[in-house]
Amino acid sequence: AASLASYQLEMMRDKNNELSRRLHDLVEIAHENETLMVRVHTLTLALMRARDLADTVTRVVASLTEDFHTDLVRMVLFHSDPQLPVADWLLVEADGPAAMPAFAEFLKRGEPLCGRLLQDKLDALFADKASTVQSAVLLPIGDLGMLAIGSLDANRFHPGMGTVFLRLIAEAVSTAVIRYSGKRRNERRTGQRNHPVSRTSARRAAL
């Protein structure tokens, strides 16, 4: 009877230890999620304060680098704009998605992609630093481009990770980029209407 009681007591200790471990893990996850939510909120506020498209993309990269402690960030835009800065983290493909066939399936799905990327994707995004990227995340920016985050840690981004916060980041960035991209296009259209091309000029342009 004594040995049975000892066995039951030991089993109860093991269960309590397991419950304590699970509770500790849940608390840790809650703290991590709270930290991530604050960072996403901070990014969203920063994007709301952006003055134009150039300021928007700069704030995105700065926040991901400084607040989220990422190693490499690349933003790809499928349209050109004279306001955009010249930087190694910004890739402008004015010809649109067709200029980057390696990402056709990703862009078609429109979902975050986490894990190890194929070499052709790494080369297109990170060029001479491609060999240092051990894991990465790809986020679609509506139909205007995509955002890539590369890590030197092979375990930081993986296919089984949650994507809730990644989706929030993608939506915030997409909304901010679309706001100014649409504004620039409208300004150009307005300018064209306010300054119509004469028939003579139109004939010269067609020659």
Side-chain angles (χ1 to χ4, degrees), residues 176-196:
V177 171
I178 289 171
R179 176 176 57 173
Y180 287 112
S181 297
K183 181 179 179 181
R184 292 290 299 177
R185 285 195 293 268
N186 290 336
E187 288 176 350
R188 284 195 290 268
R189 292 193 190 103
T190 302
Q192 291 172 354
R193 287 196 297 267
N194 292 340
H195 299 88

Side-chain angles (χ1 to χ4, degrees), residues 7-79:
Y7 172 76
Q8 290 176 334
L9 182 60
E10 186 65 27
M11 290 292 292
M12 289 181 63
R13 287 199 188 100
D14 290 343
K15 288 183 179 180
N16 285 337
N17 289 336
E18 177 65 16
L19 289 174
S20 296
R21 185 189 65 79
R22 291 183 180 180
L23 179 60
H24 179 269
D25 290 344
L26 288 174
V27 171
E28 287 295 316
I29 292 172
H31 287 162
E32 292 175 1
N33 287 343
E34 182 180 7
T35 299
L36 284 173
M37 182 58 73
V38 170
R39 290 173 179 171
V40 172
H41 180 63
T42 301
L43 169 61
T44 302
L45 291 178
L47 294 179
M48 291 174 65
R49 299 187 185 103
R51 300 179 301 274
D52 51 36
L53 183 59
D55 192 24
T56 296
V57 297
T58 300
R59 286 172 182 262
V60 170
V61 175
S63 178
L64 291 176
T65 302
E66 299 168 10
D67 299 332
F68 290 84
H69 310 295
T70 58
D71 297 316
L72 294 169
V73 179
R74 296 291 185 271
M75 177 170 279
V76 180
L77 294 179
F78 294 142
H79 68 283

Side-chain angles (χ1 to χ4, degrees), residues 111-114 137-139 158-171:
E111 298 287 337
L113 177 64
C114 311
V137 165
L138 287 181
L139 302 176
H158 54 86
M161 67 184 295
T163 60
V164 172
F165 291 104
L166 293 175
R167 292 174 186 274
L168 292 177
I169 291 172
E171 290 176 4

